[in-house]
Amino acid sequence: MTTDDTTHDKRLTTRGARTRGRIVAVAADLMYIQGVEATTLDNVLVASGASKSQLYRHFSDKATLVRAVIDHVGDRIITRERETIGDVTTLGGLRNWADGLVKLNGLRHGAYGCALGSLAAEIADRDELAHATLLRLFTQWQTLIHEALVALQEAGELLPNVAVDQLATGLMAALQGGYLLAQTERDVEPMAISLDLALSHIEKLAAR
């Protein structure tokens, strides 16, 4: 969130904050399903039930709304990952984390891919502020994966000479590639295969 957005949020009334939150949540859902480009401000107005004056009170244009959506989606994903992979203490737990992501995506048959990855694909090269936020969020996500692997290594689950930074990069790449293939094929199976191969490699580096 930018400094200007933070200052603005502090001035919001409870009702205003609720309206803003509803607009952002609705916009995030629409952009996830039909893409950023295809989602218009009129779409957001209709789906959120907000008025034009309410929308423009909080967002000067679509780009500002998209940045708020990135913050919203990113915060949701990082919170989820912190609560799931953050509790991983065994290689089996790492499998359970990956299986959970596959099952969650399977509820949509892999149709929409990674919510954060989809935003990055559409926005990263067109908006430098959005790109900076996306980079920060993906870095946070990969850091959580890295910290889980470090915890496994410290617990004796992985060999002490394993380069966990490289494993974290590879696992993140397998996850995002799996999301993309699942979205393209509208089938979650490629995501399951991608993560299984990455985890199988990690398991071969087990200390026992």
Side-chain angles (χ1 to χ4, degrees):
M1 184 176 289
T2 66
T3 301
D4 288 345
D5 287 339
T6 303
T7 302
H8 175 66
D9 283 348
K10 288 179 179 178
R11 294 198 303 264
L12 290 179
T13 63
T14 300
R15 182 176 179 182
R18 190 162 52 243
T19 298
R20 184 184 188 280
R22 184 175 74 251
I23 291 171
V24 173
V26 166
D29 288 341
L30 290 174
M31 291 176 188
Y32 183 43
I33 294 171
Q34 61 189 30
V36 175
E37 191 67 29
T39 299
T40 66
L41 292 181
D42 284 342
N43 293 156
V44 176
L45 287 173
V46 171
S48 67
S51 65
K52 281 190 176 182
S53 63
Q54 287 175 317
L55 177 67
Y56 286 108
R57 184 178 304 129
H58 299 291
F59 308 102
S60 58
D61 53 23
K62 183 177 176 179
T64 308
L65 176 58
V66 170
R67 291 171 197 152
V69 166
I70 291 172
D71 281 330
H72 171 78
V73 171
D75 288 346
R76 186 178 64 202
I77 288 176
I78 296 303
T79 297
R80 181 196 70 201
E81 293 300 281
R82 188 172 287 118
E83 293 174 351
T84 52
I85 198 168
D87 288 335
V88 167
T89 57
T90 64
L91 288 169
L94 193 63
R95 277 271 176 190
N96 290 338
W97 162 77
D99 289 345
L101 290 175
V102 172
K103 289 176 181 177
L104 180 61
N105 203 27
L107 296 176
R108 299 179 292 267
H109 307 290
Y112 310 126
C114 172
L116 200 58
S118 297
L119 287 168
E122 284 199 72
I123 299 301
D125 292 335
R126 295 172 13 198
D127 185 328
E128 282 303 314
L129 288 175
H131 174 264
T133 300
L134 286 161
L135 177 59
R136 172 179 58 79
L137 290 166
F138 272 105
T139 299
Q140 285 182 315
W141 195 346
Q142 187 167 319
T143 297
L144 289 172
I145 294 174
H146 179 270
E147 289 173 349
L149 292 172
V150 168
L152 293 182
Q153 193 172 49
E154 291 176 345
E157 289 276 307
L158 292 175
L159 293 169
N161 61 341
V162 170
V164 291
D165 54 341
Q166 294 181 9
L167 289 183
T169 299
L171 185 51
M172 185 64 165
L175 174 59
Q176 290 302 317
Y179 269 124
L180 179 59
L181 290 173
Q183 182 179 12
T184 302
E185 298 186 24
R186 296 190 182 278
D187 184 349
V188 78
E189 185 62 19
M191 180 182 180
I193 292 172
S194 177
L195 284 170
D196 178 63
L197 288 173
L199 292 173
S200 293
H201 173 69
I202 292 173
E203 288 163 353
K204 289 178 181 177
L205 303 172
R208 60 180 182 276

